[in-house]
Amino acid sequence: MDTVRADAGTPNLLTAGLSQTLIPQPCTLVIFGGAGDLSARKLLPAVYNLSLDGVLPANFAIVGFARNELDDSSFRAIARDGIERFSRRPLDETHWAQYSHSLFYVTGSFTDRQAYVELRRRLEKVESEFGIPGNRVFYLSIPPSLIETCVEQLKAAGFVADPHEAPISRIIVEKPVGRDLVSARGINEMLARTFDESQIFRIDHYLGKETVQNILVLRFANSVLEPLWNAKYVDHVQLTVAEEEGVGQRAGYYEEAGALRDMVQNHILQVLAMIAMEPPWSLDPENIRDAKLDVLRCLRRLTGSDVETHVVRAQYGPGYHHGEDVPGYRREEGVRRDSTTETYVALKMFIDNWRWAGVPFYVRTGKRLPKRVSEAAIYFKSVPEILFNTNRDAPLESNVLTLRIQPDEGFSLRLSSKLPGPKVRIYPVKMDFHYGATFGDSSPEAYERLLLDVMSGDATLFMRRDAVEASWAWVTALLEAWEASRTRYVPEYPAGSWGPVEADRLIEADGRKWRTL
């Protein structure tokens, strides 16, 4: 299918070749919850930036669908405001005049069959006007409790096409897919009754980030790294996802989720799988997803005494954070005063396969930490205690490859070098790469890449059903161990700190320490 190419001018190196490798099909993007926060902050600005880059199909439209009483003009105003506030690129009035004409809105309740009749009527009119051959992508930007209702209504209204025939029907489901293994299986089974697996795109925005995508390139396009990517040369791996903010207005959701469900089951396990996977034999989406699934299946379950020695959970307490006093988690509005929901979790994990046997993967994630940062650090084994590493009281620092996922996207490699002067003195130096400094442009937002992939039918960066259930199987075993312990209190860490002392003890017990960020 044809795509709209960028206008003349300086090419964007970050998207060079995109229209050749990705072929988005003419379609209508139908956003359930189109007047909501995710739509305004992420989805509408993302599509706008794709339009600026010239990689959207020539025949394309967006239809928002929600119960809010809006018309096309009001919906376009929401889109404009979202672009002005959240887009990585400023609003261009000339381009906006063209782009806004592809935005439409339908008011209706997700439970009302007549609303779907109206939605179909409006879609057919828009598609006729824009020359779209009935291809539709349904984005469920809605609470998980409404997914089943919307899927059943889509089926009843005849919106779901045969996966092997034109036109296409694809559905995007936001995380979380369930809250444990049983509920995840239930959602997957419900989706499978209506859609073929090839039509279902379970989205995790972390996988659309440039540095996460670059993990595969870094590993498999550089011959110097892959021979070292194993237990023989890697001492350990650290994954950190730190958030500055507290629960804010999400207390109701967070009380039911916690850090383990919210961050580990979704984002962190997926990044870990990409770091640890075996080389796929091709870039076919299913081959890559098979390789990631193998990692999840090899994760050692944490049960019994391992939970006590390999896991730390905690809550942020009151503290002084960025110049102001902030309350502890149990004093946040909407949080139970006796809550044991964790806002921080640290884990020591093992992958029981030939490549990674015995290599610990240390994971930490939490809220109200000093700064927002996500990174993976691969620590290589130290050189032998000879030549320049004979002083046991001051051993040489290990070589470390750090993959910065956000906010400063890039990677660095720490090496040992000689300080200038007559004496041999060793000092650690970094070879550092920054996306922004090298390419001179802002990196595409995660949702930009992921939406484009859905339009192209490329499922590489999306979670397949078996991977969702494999990750939930691992997490559910830990959740059940916590529930069986009947803990009434979890440790606290001061807001603005890097977590509880128990997390430091977890890694220091092995003679290691957390990275200073």
Side-chain angles (χ1 to χ4, degrees):
M1 300 286 184
D2 293 334
T3 60
V4 179
R5 298 182 182 276
D7 294 333
T10 303
N12 179 358
L13 296 180
L14 290 170
T15 56
L18 202 57
S19 57
Q20 285 75 39
T21 57
L22 297 176
I23 309 176
Q25 296 166 278
C27 65
T28 307
L29 175 63
V30 185
I31 304 176
F32 281 59
D37 185 65
L38 178 65
S39 178
R41 292 173 62 93
K42 297 294 184 181
L43 303 183
L44 295 171
V47 178
Y48 173 76
N49 284 313
L50 290 173
S51 178
L52 277 177
D53 285 340
V55 295
L56 283 179
N59 310 98
F60 177 79
I62 298 176
V63 175
F65 179 47
R67 63 169 53 190
N68 307 63
E69 293 286 346
L70 303 174
D71 56 16
D72 294 345
S73 178
S74 301
F75 183 57
R76 290 166 185 172
I78 289 174
R80 182 186 177 103
D81 180 66
I83 292 166
E84 289 177 333
R85 296 173 60 195
F86 305 114
S87 172
R88 67 182 173 91
R89 289 183 174 174
L91 186 85
D92 180 275
E93 291 291 351
T94 301
H95 193 85
W96 167 253
Q98 177 184 1
Y99 172 77
S100 63
H101 289 305
S102 64
L103 304 178
F104 304 92
Y105 187 83
V106 174
T107 298
S109 169
F110 299 145
T111 60
D112 181 7
R113 290 199 173 193
Q114 188 58 39
Y116 290 81
V117 173
E118 173 58 24
L119 177 62
R120 171 181 280 280
R121 186 195 66 78
R122 191 68 190 281
L123 282 174
E124 291 173 347
K125 181 179 179 181
V126 168
E127 289 163 352
S128 175
E129 178 183 347
F130 281 75
I132 300 171
N135 297 329
R136 294 158 186 167
V137 174
F138 301 98
Y139 197 120
L140 301 189
S141 176
I142 56 177
S145 59
L146 292 173
I147 292 177
E148 184 171 4
T149 297
C150 291
V151 169
E152 289 176 347
Q153 293 282 15
L154 284 171
K155 181 179 181 180
F159 279 108
V160 185
D162 188 299
H164 308 295
E165 299 177 2
I168 63 169
S169 296
R170 294 174 183 146
I171 187 167
I172 303 175
V173 181
E174 273 280 347
K175 66 100 175 174
V177 180
R179 65 183 311 276
D180 54 21
L181 180 57
V182 172
S183 59
R185 281 176 174 164
I187 291 174
N188 283 331
E189 289 170 1
M190 176 272 297
L191 289 170
R193 289 194 294 269
T194 299
F195 291 92
D196 184 78
E197 180 64 25
S198 65
Q199 298 173 301
I200 304 170
F201 291 76
R202 301 170 186 84
I203 193 168
D204 182 345
H205 71 275
Y206 250 59
L207 298 187
K209 294 181 180 294
E210 281 293 331
T211 311
V212 175
Q213 298 171 49
N214 196 39
I215 291 173
L216 298 187
V217 176
L218 198 65
R219 287 190 58 191
F220 304 131
N222 295 289
S223 62
V224 69
L225 288 179
E226 181 56 25
L228 309 180
W229 214 264
N230 54 58
K232 184 177 180 180
Y233 296 102
V234 175
D235 179 76
H236 72 282
V237 178
Q238 293 186 25
L239 277 76
T240 299
V241 179
E243 299 179 280
E244 290 181 295
E245 68 275 7
V247 292
Q249 303 301 313
R250 300 176 69 223
Y253 160 76
Y254 207 83
E255 271 288 87
E256 298 298 321
L260 187 67
R261 288 185 174 96
D262 187 47
M263 297 301 296
V264 176
Q265 188 276 329
N266 296 292
H267 309 321
I268 292 176
L269 288 186
Q270 287 296 305
V271 173
L272 183 149
M274 296 186 78
I275 291 172
M277 63 187 277
E278 294 297 320
W281 64 269
S282 80
L283 292 178
D284 178 81
E286 296 312 309
N287 292 332
I288 294 176
R289 299 205 290 182
D290 285 344
K292 290 164 59 181
L293 176 63
D294 286 341
V295 174
L296 297 175
R297 286 175 170 167
C298 291
L299 280 178
R300 185 186 301 175
R301 298 287 179 91
L302 296 177
T303 58
S305 60
D306 285 343
V307 176
E308 298 297 323
T309 57
H310 289 51
V311 184
V312 171
R313 55 173 167 161
Q315 295 174 338
Y316 63 82
Y320 195 68
H321 195 226
H322 293 307
E324 62 180 35
D325 291 315
V326 295
Y329 176 70
R330 289 194 293 271
R331 294 297 175 184
E332 296 277 18
E333 184 177 351
V335 176
R336 301 189 315 272
R337 295 298 179 256
D338 60 348
S339 173
T340 58
T341 299
E342 77 286 354
T343 64
Y344 179 101
V345 62
L347 308 104
K348 181 168 72 171
M349 305 164 63
F350 290 93
I351 300 171
D352 291 331
N353 62 15
W354 194 273
R355 179 183 290 264
W356 296 110
V359 176
F361 284 70
Y362 298 98
V363 171
R364 57 175 171 168
T365 182
K367 289 187 172 295
R368 284 286 189 220
L369 300 183
K371 63 180 180 180
R372 172 177 172 263
V373 59
S374 298
E375 68 164 41
I378 294 85
Y379 281 72
F380 294 95
K381 291 184 177 179
S382 299
V383 297
E385 293 180 352
I386 56 176
L387 299 177
F388 304 111
N389 197 29
T390 56
N391 186 352
R392 294 188 176 184
D393 294 329
L396 291 180
E397 295 190 33
S398 301
N399 301 133
V400 183
L401 176 64
T402 304
L403 312 175
R404 297 188 302 272
I405 298 171
Q406 65 179 19
D408 179 21
E409 295 180 323
F411 56 86
S412 64
L413 177 63
R414 186 173 75 190
L415 302 171
S416 293
S417 178
K418 178 184 175 299
L419 280 172
K423 294 184 178 180
V424 177
R425 293 179 297 167
I426 309 298
Y427 188 80
V429 297
K430 285 200 304 183
M431 301 174 65
D432 213 348
F433 164 75
H434 300 259
Y435 271 92
T438 299
F439 294 114
D441 201 350
S442 59
S443 297
E445 294 285 345
Y447 280 99
E448 295 175 35
R449 170 62 189 269
L450 296 173
L451 286 172
L452 197 67
D453 282 2
V454 177
M455 297 176 207
S456 309
D458 186 343
T460 304
L461 300 177
F462 296 83
M463 298 176 69
R464 201 168 60 191
R465 173 177 180 169
D466 49 9
V468 170
E469 294 179 9
S471 61
W472 269 124
W474 189 87
V475 167
T476 298
L478 180 50
L479 290 170
E480 290 174 346
W482 281 352
E483 185 176 353
S485 70
R486 298 188 178 183
T487 299
R488 295 186 177 181
Y489 173 79
V490 295
E492 285 189 335
Y493 57 96
S497 72
W498 277 109
V501 294
E502 289 83 357
D504 294 331
R505 293 170 186 159
L506 171 72
I507 193 169
E508 290 170 0
D510 298 331
R512 303 181 178 99
K513 61 181 180 179
W514 294 111
R515 270 178 53 79
T516 301
L517 301 174

